[in-house]
Amino acid sequence: MLKHLKHLYSLSGPVRGMAVLGIFLSVITTLSSVALMAVSGWFIAAMALAGAIGASINYFTPAAGIRAFALSRTAGRYAERLVSHDAALRFIATFRPWLFARIESLPQGALDFLHSGYLMESLRRDSDRIEKFYLNAIMPLATAFISACCVALALFFYDPRIAALWIAGALLAGLVVPILTLHNTRKPTQTQVDGSAALRIQGVDSLQGMSELLVYGRDSEMLDRMDRQWDAMETAQQALNRHDSLAQFYQGIIIAVLMIAAISIAMIFSIGDHQALAMLPLMMMACLDMMLPLPAALQIVDETRHALKRVFGIIDQNDSRDTSDTLSASITFKDVSFRYNAHSPLVLHDINFTIAPGQTTAITGATGSGKSSIINLISQLHQPTSGTISGINPHAITVARQRPYIFAGTIRSNLMLGNPDASPQELNEICAITGLDQVIAALPDQFDTFIGHGGITLSGGQTRRLSITRAMLKPANFLILDEPDEGLDQNEAAQMLDRIIVHAKAAQQTLIIITHTPLLSQKMQQNIILSEGQIVALHKVSI
Amino acid sequence: MPIKTSTMKTEATTESPTRNNEAFLKRHKSDSGPYLTRASSVHLLASSILIAQCFCLAYAINAVLFEDANFNDILPYLGLFLGCVILRAGLVFLADQWAFYGAGLIVNKLRHDLFVNLFKRGPVKNEREQPGDIAHLWIEGAESLRTYYARYIPARMTMAFLPIAILLLVFPVDWISGIVFLVTAPLIPFFMIMIGKGTEALNRRQWKRLSYMSGYFLDRIQGLTTLKLFNAGRREVDIIAKISDDYRLETMRVLRVACLSSLMLEFLATISIAIIAVLIGFRLLWGNIDFLPAFFILLLAPEFYMPLRRMGGFYHARMDAVAASERLAVLLQGAEDASAQHHSAPLPDQFKITFEDVSFSYDGVTPVLDRVSFTLNAGEHMAIIGPSGAGKSTILSLLLGFIEPNAGRILINDIPLPDIDQRVWRTALSWVPQKPHIFNQTLLENLTLAKPDARMDEVLQLAESLHVTDIVRDLPQGYDSMLGEDGARLSGGQIQRIALLRALLRPSALMLMDEPTASLDHKTETAIRSAMDTLSKGRSVLTIAHRLHTVRAMDKIILLKAGRIVTIDTPDSVLKHPELHDTALEVPLC
C-alpha cells in the first residue's frame, strides 16, 4: 500500500497546500470547541462562587473568550468544510481522467479480460473511496492527533497528573478502540469492496443479456443470485455498522470515566481552584468529538487499501503500442506467429506476406482461421508472439471491426469519432459511398438522431454501414474492413465495395478486406487465403 | 465533439417532485417491519436518560462547590452518572442496530423490486436506459436511502421529542432560559427549510449529473477498443476531465449552500447557548439563581439544540434520498400491479400461430406494423424478408412477449396469447437474436443457458454438428473457459454458433431467428444449415433473412414493407415478385 500511497501523493501536487490548510482549519475548529466548553464551565462556576460570597469578578476577559471561541468554532467549521471538500474534489477531478487515460492505454490483451463493470467500479467507486480517504480518514486522524497533543500540552502546564489522565484516556478512546474496530471489520470491509464490484458486473451483464434471460426463463434464477449476493453484502454492512456503533459505545463510556476521574483527581489532590471542577468535565466532554470519527477513519484506510490495490492492479501494465509518426507505405509480415495468451494455442503460424501501397487485398478463410487476428496485429491491439511486422502505425490505419461498438450519442458524434474535423461535404460524400445516406434520410433527426443506449437501435446492416463510414472518415493510409458485407444483401454489399474501391484509389488508400464472400474477394488484387492459422494460398489477380 | 447532455435536459420535472418523492419514501417505510419504529422509541428513551445524566453531574458538582461535600458524598452521584452514560450508550447502540437493520430491509427490497420490474418491462421498454446509469441507481442510489431511513428518520423523532421535554423541564425551574429556548428553537427549522429549498433543485441536478456520468463512463469503457483504434482516447480523456470538473464545480455549488446552512445552524445554536450562559452568569453573580438549576440548564442547553443540528447534518442525506427516489419511482412504475395472469390456458405441444390484424407502434403515432395477418402452421418454416425498418424484428418481439400489439390479436391455436402465462409460453420458444449476448460466465454455462440441466453428451453432440468444437479447441480451458465480457475474445461467427447451440439445445416447438448464419463463411454455413434442417424438423421456424440463398428451403416467405405484408407465398413466387426487385434496388435488403 505504501508504494501506491506514494504514487497517490505524487499525483496530489496541486492540491497539497489546500489539503494541509483544511487540516489546519479543522484543528482550529476542534480546539476552539474544547476551549469554549472549558471557559464556559469555568465562567459559570466562577460567577456563582463570586455571587455566593458577594465578591466582585472580572467577567470581561472570560466573556470575550467565550465570544471569540464561539466565533472561531463556527467560522472555522464553515471554512474547513469548504476547503477540504474543494481539495478532495479537485484531486478526484484530475484523478479520474488520469485513471481513464491509463486504462485506455492498456494492452488489448489485458482489456479483453477486464469486465467493464469492474473498470467502472474503479473509475467510480474506488475514486469515491480515495476522495473519502482524505475527507474521512486523513483529516480526522491528523486533526485528532494534533488536537489531542495540544490539549495534553495545555493540561500539562495546568497539572501534569490531569495531563497524564488525558493522555491515557485519549490513547484508549482514540487508538485502542479504533484499532480493535479495524481488526474486527477487516473481513466485512473486504466483502464489501469485492462484493460491490461483482454486483456491478452482474448488474450490467443481466441488463445487457436481459432478453436471453427472459426467453430462456433464467431471470428469476439470476434475481435469486443477485439477492443472495446482496444478502452477503448486507451481512457485511450490518457487521460494519455494529462494530462502528460498538466503538462509539466504548468511546462514550471512556470519556464519561475520564470526566469522573478528572473530578476525582482534582478533588483528592485539591488541584486548581473550585472552578476547575466545573471546567474539567465539560472540557473532557468536548474532547469526545475528536475521537468519534476515528474508528470509521481506520476502516476507510483499510477500504482505500483495497481500492488502491484494484486500481493499480489494473493499470500496472504497460502499453507497447508504437505510436511513432513514421508513415508507412507497405505492410510486411515476416514469420509471424501469434497466440492470445500463454495458455491458448497458436492462432497464426509463420505468416508471411506483403501488402504494397495502393494494392487491394482480401484475406479470406473459414471462421476461426485467424483472419481477425491478423487485423488485430496490424492495428497493434496485440503484439506477435514471434516474427516481425513492419510498416504499421496506428495513426496510419483505420479499421471497421466485425463487431462494431456504437456509442450512446448521435449518429454525428459516432461518425466524428473517426475525424472530429471532417467537413459536411466529406461526411455526405462518404455516406453516399456506404449507403448510410439513405439510412439517415429515413431517420427522424437525420445526423442528430440518438442511437446506441438511450437512442434508437440500428439494424445489423445499418450498423455495418455506420461503422464503415466512421472508419473511412479517419484519414489513414490503410483502410481495413472486417466482414463488410455482414448483415447486408450480397449484391448491395458488392456494389458498396465497388464504390469504396474507387474512393480508396482516388484517396491513395491501401484497402484490405476480410471476407468469406467470394463475390467480394474476387474484386481484390491480392487474395490471402487462410486455413487454421496458416496461409494456404496467395493469389495475385490483375484486374 | 460536443458533450451531449440531452438525457439530463429531458427530465425537467414540473410540479412539486419533492412531495411525490417524499410520498415514495414514506410508502416504503413500512417495508422495514417493526424495526424503524422500535429504533425511534428506544431513541426517545435514551433522550430521557440524557436528562437524568445531566442532572447527576450538575448535582455532584453543586454539592462539592456549595455544600462542602467531600469525595465520598458525591461518589453515588458520580456512579449514577456513569450508570446513566452506560445505559444511554447501550440504548443508542440498540436503536442504531434496529434502525440500520430496518433500513437494510427497505433498501434491499427496493433493489430486488427494481430488477423485478426491469425484467417485467422487458428489453424493448428498457432500451432507452443506460446500463451504467441503472447500475448506479441500483448500487449507490438505493444505498443513499439507507442513511435517510437509518439516521434521518430517528433523528426527526428525537427532534420532535427531546426539545419539548427539555422545555417542559426548564420552564418551572427558570422561565427566563425557557423563553430563550422557546424563541430561538423555531428559528432553526425555519432557516433549515429556507436554505433547503435553495439546495433542493441544485441537489437533484447534481444527482442527475452523477448518474449521467456513470452512464457515460460505462459506455466509453465498453467502447474502449474502438476509441483506441480511432486514436480518440486522448480526446475522450479531455471530455472526461471536463465532465469530472463540471461535477466538481456543481458539487461545490451545492456544498457552499449546504455549508452555509450548517453555519447558520451552528451560529444560531452557539449564540443561543451564549445568551443563556450570560443571563445565567449574571443572575448567579447577583444571587438571583442557585448554582444547581443554573448548571443543569447549562448542561442541557447544547442537548436542546443538538437534535436540530443533527437534523441539519442529515438534511443532505435526505436530499440525496429524495433525488435518488425520483428515478427509482420512475423505474418502479407499475411494479405494484399484480400480474393479471392467475389462470393460464394450457399450451399444446404443437400449435399454429395466427396474427390477426396486428398493429403496433412504439410512440403511438408512427405505425411499425400495420394490420399484419398471417398464419404459421405447426412444423412450418417461414422467413420474413423486407427492407430495414419494415417491422421484421417487431414481429419477433411480439412473439417473444417483449411488447404487446396496440390492435389485433395473436392466437396460439385459437387461444389469445395474453391468456397464456408468459413463463409457460416462453418455455416453448428458442431464439437466436441478431446480436446474441454472451454472459460473463464459462462457455458451458453460456451454451446451456436455455437448459441448465443438459447432459454433457447432448452438448457434445450438438457442438459437433454446429462446429462449436472449433471454438472449444482454441480456448485454454475448453468448455470451462470464461468468455469475458460479451465474448470479448470471440468473433461474430463464433458467437452465432454459440447462440445457435443454445437455442437448439432446448426442445422448443417454435424457433425464432434473426439471420442466424450471417457471420459464417460459406462452407461452414452450408454445413450448419444442413445440421439445422435436421435439428429443426418438426419445429415451427420463423426467421428473419437478409440473404436470398438462405430462404430458398423455406415453406413460405413473408415480404414485409413499411409495416405491411406485401405478399406471403412460396419462395419461388416471392423471389419473382416485382415488389421485391423494386425494394432490393431502392432500399437494400438489410
Side-chain angles (χ1 to χ4, degrees):
Chain A
M1 184 180 183
L2 221 57
K3 195 184 85 194
H4 298 152
L5 276 182
K6 258 186 207 155
H7 205 133
L8 216 56
Y9 181 75
S10 70
L11 287 171
S12 69
V15 297
R16 231 172 276 159
M18 233 173 173
V20 173
L21 181 65
I23 292 170
F24 175 72
L25 287 168
S26 170
V27 171
I28 299 271
T29 309
T30 308
L31 289 179
S32 299
S33 175
V34 172
L36 179 65
M37 288 297 269
V39 175
S40 297
W42 184 89
F43 173 68
I44 291 296
M47 291 290 263
L49 287 168
I53 54 164
S56 68
I57 177 173
N58 166 22
Y59 46 74
F60 292 107
T61 318
I66 289 177
R67 276 200 301 275
F69 289 132
L71 212 65
S72 65
R73 182 178 83 157
T74 325
R77 170 99 52 225
Y78 178 69
E80 171 240 305
R81 281 202 197 155
L82 281 189
V83 169
S84 62
H85 277 89
D86 202 24
L89 284 165
R90 266 177 209 278
F91 177 69
I92 289 305
T94 50
F95 178 78
R96 280 218 177 91
W98 173 83
L99 180 57
F100 183 83
R102 295 293 298 265
I103 292 174
E104 193 269 340
S105 64
L106 285 179
Q108 190 63 28
L111 277 178
D112 281 350
F113 283 100
L114 291 166
H115 194 277
S116 62
Y118 189 78
L119 293 172
M120 260 312 273
E121 184 74 7
S122 264
L123 211 51
R124 282 271 308 108
R125 199 69 176 274
D126 289 341
S127 300
D128 286 351
R129 289 192 175 106
I130 291 167
E131 183 182 321
K132 265 178 33 192
F133 177 61
Y134 168 68
L135 288 176
N136 300 347
I138 295 184
M139 283 264 294
L141 284 171
T143 305
F145 180 72
I146 299 171
S147 308
C149 289
C150 291
V151 170
L153 203 66
L155 284 176
F156 182 79
F157 287 114
Y158 183 73
D159 186 281
R161 283 164 293 191
I162 301 278
L165 180 70
W166 161 244
I167 290 170
L171 285 178
L172 214 55
L175 202 68
V176 176
V177 171
I179 285 177
L180 277 178
T181 310
L182 175 69
H183 178 75
N184 289 328
T185 52
R186 283 231 145 135
K187 248 178 114 160
T189 302
Q190 171 105 48
T191 310
Q192 277 255 302
V193 175
D194 295 346
S196 91
L199 275 160
R200 203 181 295 272
I201 292 174
Q202 197 140 37
V204 170
D205 205 29
S206 306
L207 286 168
Q208 296 187 328
M210 179 178 286
S211 309
E212 274 93 340
L213 290 176
L214 284 174
V215 171
Y216 292 129
R218 300 290 297 273
D219 48 330
S220 44
E221 196 185 314
M222 185 56 95
L223 269 173
D224 284 349
R225 215 155 96 190
M226 296 194 295
D227 283 348
R228 272 201 306 277
Q229 288 196 36
W230 277 118
D231 282 348
M233 287 279 278
E234 188 62 28
T235 312
Q237 280 260 39
Q238 302 282 352
L240 287 177
N241 181 56
R242 192 170 53 247
H243 288 296
D244 263 359
S245 303
L246 211 56
Q248 294 195 354
F249 173 82
Y250 290 136
Q251 285 177 321
I253 293 172
I254 290 169
I255 293 288
V257 170
L258 210 58
M259 285 163 77
I260 294 173
I263 297 174
S264 313
I265 292 178
M267 279 185 75
I268 291 165
F269 297 102
S270 319
I271 293 166
D273 40 23
H274 263 75
Q275 291 93 311
L277 289 179
M279 178 185 85
L280 287 176
L282 284 190
M283 183 180 165
M284 296 293 176
M285 206 155 83
C287 284
L288 178 61
D289 280 348
M290 68 174 94
M291 300 300 175
L292 282 179
L294 296 185
L298 282 194
Q299 209 174 297
I300 286 165
V301 172
D302 195 35
E303 224 178 85
T304 312
R305 187 174 62 92
H306 291 295
L308 287 175
K309 214 159 73 187
R310 170 155 56 211
V311 167
F312 285 95
I314 290 171
I315 63 178
D316 276 350
Q317 300 171 69
N318 289 322
D319 185 20
S320 41
R321 267 189 305 171
D322 171 20
T323 47
S324 63
D325 283 331
T326 51
L327 290 185
S328 50
S330 63
I331 293 177
T332 306
F333 271 55
K334 194 164 185 310
D335 301 327
V336 171
S337 294
F338 175 62
R339 65 174 93 228
Y340 278 101
N341 64 45
H343 310 291
S344 54
L346 280 179
V347 285
L348 293 175
H349 302 269
D350 296 325
I351 299 292
N352 287 291
F353 66 83
T354 298
I355 294 171
Q359 194 181 31
T360 57
T361 304
I363 303 175
T364 65
T367 40
S369 58
K371 296 176 307 218
S372 290
S373 304
I374 290 190
I375 298 308
N376 286 343
L377 289 176
I378 294 178
S379 47
Q380 291 205 343
L381 289 176
H382 295 282
Q383 303 302 314
T385 311
S386 65
T388 52
I389 305 170
S390 57
I392 52 170
N393 171 352
H395 289 290
I397 287 164
T398 182
V399 187
R401 310 185 79 199
Q402 191 196 4
R403 294 168 62 198
Y405 187 84
I406 305 299
F407 290 94
T410 59
I411 296 222
R412 192 189 302 280
S413 70
N414 265 289
L415 289 177
M416 296 302 232
L417 197 70
N419 180 6
D421 309 318
S423 66
Q425 293 96 307
E426 242 177 300
L427 211 58
N428 288 329
E429 186 195 342
I430 298 193
C431 286
I433 292 174
T434 57
L436 188 67
D437 52 349
Q438 294 182 44
V439 176
I440 290 172
L443 291 173
D445 299 317
Q446 273 84 52
F447 277 109
D448 297 315
T449 309
F450 262 82
I451 51 171
H453 295 299
I456 66 158
T457 316
L458 298 180
S459 75
Q462 291 169 332
T463 309
R464 182 73 48 209
R465 288 173 204 277
L466 176 79
S467 128
I468 294 174
T469 312
R470 180 165 73 182
M472 287 176 71
L473 276 168
K474 178 181 166 187
N477 294 6
F478 294 93
L479 172 62
I480 303 172
L481 308 177
D482 196 347
E483 309 277 8
D485 57 325
E486 205 179 298
L488 297 174
D489 169 61
Q490 260 192 25
N491 291 323
E492 179 54 32
Q495 286 163 21
M496 176 178 77
L497 187 62
D498 286 335
R499 295 192 295 265
I500 292 175
I501 292 172
V502 172
H503 178 265
K505 199 163 197 175
Q508 295 186 313
Q509 259 179 342
T510 306
L511 178 65
I512 304 167
I513 66 166
I514 290 183
T515 183
H516 49 250
T517 313
L519 193 61
L520 300 190
S521 54
Q522 282 159 12
K523 295 177 188 295
M524 311 306 265
Q525 294 162 334
Q526 176 173 247
N527 274 356
I528 300 170
I529 301 165
L530 285 174
S531 177
E532 301 194 347
Q534 282 172 309
I535 295 184
V536 288
L538 210 154
H539 301 299
K540 300 218 181 210
V541 194
S542 45
I543 298 173
Chain B
M1 190 162 59
I3 303 167
K4 284 285 167 196
T5 51
S6 80
T7 37
M8 298 163 60
K9 274 183 238 148
T10 49
E11 284 183 43
T13 12
T14 44
E15 41 105 31
S16 168
T18 314
R19 196 166 308 155
N20 292 342
N21 300 337
E22 294 250 60
F24 175 88
L25 291 171
K26 211 165 275 167
R27 206 167 53 239
H28 287 273
K29 206 185 135 188
S30 56
D31 290 338
S32 70
Y35 293 103
L36 281 189
T37 322
R38 269 191 220 168
S40 297
S41 324
V42 175
H43 261 300
L44 294 190
L45 200 60
S47 302
S48 327
I49 292 172
L50 176 75
I51 296 174
Q53 175 190 321
C54 289
F55 184 78
C56 291
L57 187 64
Y59 193 90
I61 289 172
N62 181 60
V64 176
L65 290 187
F66 294 94
E67 284 157 26
D68 288 327
N70 60 28
F71 184 61
N72 286 337
D73 294 336
I74 64 160
L75 207 56
Y77 292 97
L78 291 182
L80 216 54
F81 169 73
L82 188 63
C84 284
V85 168
I86 293 174
L87 187 59
R88 189 170 88 95
L91 287 175
V92 168
F93 174 77
L94 188 66
D96 196 52
Q97 296 314 296
W98 274 338
F100 203 82
Y101 184 75
L105 290 180
I106 301 175
V107 166
N108 284 315
K109 179 162 185 314
L110 273 174
R111 283 188 174 127
H112 174 86
D113 289 352
L114 177 66
F115 250 92
V116 167
N117 205 43
L118 285 168
F119 277 132
K120 192 171 149 196
R121 283 156 47 119
V124 175
K125 285 171 204 149
N126 289 331
E127 208 152 58
R128 283 166 185 274
E129 307 295 346
Q130 293 245 38
D133 173 14
I134 293 190
H136 172 69
L137 187 68
W138 189 53
I139 298 175
E140 283 91 4
E143 199 57 39
S144 72
L145 298 197
R146 188 193 294 273
T147 326
Y148 172 83
Y149 287 116
R151 304 276 179 263
Y152 177 78
I153 295 272
R156 205 172 57 183
M157 279 291 273
T158 322
M159 184 179 92
F161 170 78
L162 189 62
I164 294 173
I166 291 180
L167 262 183
L168 287 178
L169 216 67
V170 166
F171 253 107
V173 180
D174 176 26
W175 62 272
I176 297 180
S177 300
I179 294 223
V180 177
F181 278 146
L182 199 60
V183 171
T184 51
L187 283 176
I188 291 179
F190 173 74
F191 271 101
M192 220 158 72
I193 291 165
M194 289 291 288
I195 293 160
K197 280 216 186 323
T199 42
E200 203 172 276
L202 279 176
N203 210 63
R204 285 190 18 237
R205 207 165 75 204
Q206 172 72 353
W207 208 86
K208 274 174 196 154
R209 194 178 280 275
L210 198 63
S211 145
Y212 165 76
M213 201 160 92
S214 296
Y216 188 87
F217 283 176
L218 184 68
D219 186 39
R220 299 296 131 160
I221 287 175
Q222 293 191 330
L224 212 51
T225 310
T226 305
L227 292 178
K228 282 176 134 189
L229 285 172
F230 286 109
N231 299 318
R234 208 48 254 175
R235 259 178 280 147
E236 211 46 59
V237 170
D238 292 344
I239 292 175
I240 283 177
K242 182 162 172 0
I243 292 178
S244 300
D245 212 49
D246 284 350
Y247 173 70
R248 171 181 75 82
L249 292 171
E250 188 82 25
T251 310
M252 280 314 288
R253 210 167 295 147
V254 178
L255 269 175
R256 257 190 288 273
V257 183
C259 284
L260 200 65
S261 81
S262 33
L263 172 76
M264 287 304 290
L265 287 177
E266 294 260 334
F267 189 68
L268 266 173
T270 311
I271 288 290
S272 308
I273 297 171
I275 291 174
I276 287 171
V278 167
L279 288 179
I280 286 179
F282 281 99
R283 279 182 294 149
L284 278 174
L285 187 62
W286 299 326
N288 291 349
I289 190 171
D290 287 338
F291 181 75
L292 177 59
F295 195 58
F296 179 49
I297 290 170
L298 207 68
L299 283 175
L300 281 180
E303 304 299 338
F304 179 81
Y305 296 100
M306 194 44 145
L308 297 169
R309 284 166 57 203
R310 266 166 58 99
M311 278 280 282
F314 292 134
Y315 206 70
H316 205 73
R318 189 194 77 99
M319 287 196 296
D320 275 350
V322 165
S325 61
E326 188 172 342
R327 274 287 280 158
L328 275 171
V330 171
L331 288 173
L332 281 170
Q333 235 159 36
E336 275 127 27
D337 318 344
S339 68
Q341 283 154 348
H342 294 299
H343 61 93
S344 170
L347 187 67
D349 292 342
Q350 291 279 311
F351 50 80
K352 71 168 192 223
I353 297 166
T354 313
F355 270 55
E356 262 184 17
D357 288 326
V358 171
S359 297
F360 180 79
S361 162
Y362 287 99
D363 52 6
V365 188
T366 7
V368 181
L369 288 183
D370 189 6
R371 282 163 288 155
V372 167
S373 300
F374 68 89
T375 302
L376 176 70
N377 290 313
E380 201 170 34
H381 291 197
M382 198 183 245
I384 312 173
I385 60 173
S388 74
K392 301 187 296 284
S393 49
T394 308
I395 292 183
L396 293 198
S397 291
L398 283 166
L399 281 171
L400 289 164
F402 295 160
I403 45 177
E404 295 90 43
N406 297 124
R409 319 192 279 172
I410 301 170
L411 299 171
I412 312 301
N413 267 3
D414 304 323
I415 310 164
L417 184 56
D419 286 353
I420 303 173
D421 184 79
Q422 208 165 47
R423 286 196 173 275
V424 176
W425 166 242
R426 280 177 179 155
T427 54
L429 305 182
S430 279
W431 182 42
V432 184
Q434 192 173 39
K435 275 190 227 153
H437 182 75
I438 299 294
F439 288 87
N440 189 38
Q441 292 172 332
T442 65
L443 173 63
L444 189 64
E445 283 170 309
N446 267 291
L447 291 173
T448 56
L449 183 76
K451 197 180 172 191
D453 54 351
R455 291 192 319 275
M456 197 61 205
D457 59 305
E458 282 178 275
V459 177
L460 290 174
Q461 199 183 350
L462 272 179
E464 196 64 49
S465 44
L466 294 172
H467 291 229
V468 170
T469 36
D470 302 351
I471 307 172
V472 181
R473 202 189 51 214
D474 289 348
L475 291 169
Q477 280 105 33
Y479 283 98
D480 295 323
S481 309
M482 291 292 285
L483 294 182
E485 180 170 16
D486 213 358
R489 253 316 136 61
L490 303 172
S491 73
Q494 292 174 321
I495 290 176
Q496 241 166 12
R497 279 176 280 166
I498 292 173
L500 264 173
L501 195 153
R502 202 187 255 178
L504 285 164
L505 193 59
R506 171 184 255 200
S508 54
L510 174 62
M511 291 205 55
L512 301 170
M513 299 191 278
D514 193 342
E515 191 69 344
T517 53
S519 308
L520 303 176
D521 63 278
H522 190 66
K523 214 175 101 198
T524 317
E525 185 178 12
T526 318
I528 287 181
R529 282 225 164 249
S530 76
M532 275 168 62
D533 285 343
T534 325
L535 290 164
S536 59
K537 204 155 267 167
R539 310 191 198 204
S540 310
V541 173
L542 188 62
T543 177
I544 295 175
H546 302 134
R547 293 165 309 153
L548 296 182
H549 70 271
T550 62
V551 299
R552 288 190 197 279
M554 293 286 164
D555 297 322
K556 270 186 199 155
I557 294 180
I558 297 178
L559 174 58
L560 200 67
K561 199 175 167 187
R564 295 189 189 190
I565 292 186
V566 178
T567 180
I568 308 179
D569 217 328
T570 57
D572 286 340
S573 318
V574 172
L575 295 180
K576 281 187 207 120
H577 198 278
E579 279 259 13
L580 174 69
H581 293 282
D582 292 351
T583 312
L585 286 178
E586 260 172 29
V587 185
L589 219 65
C590 67

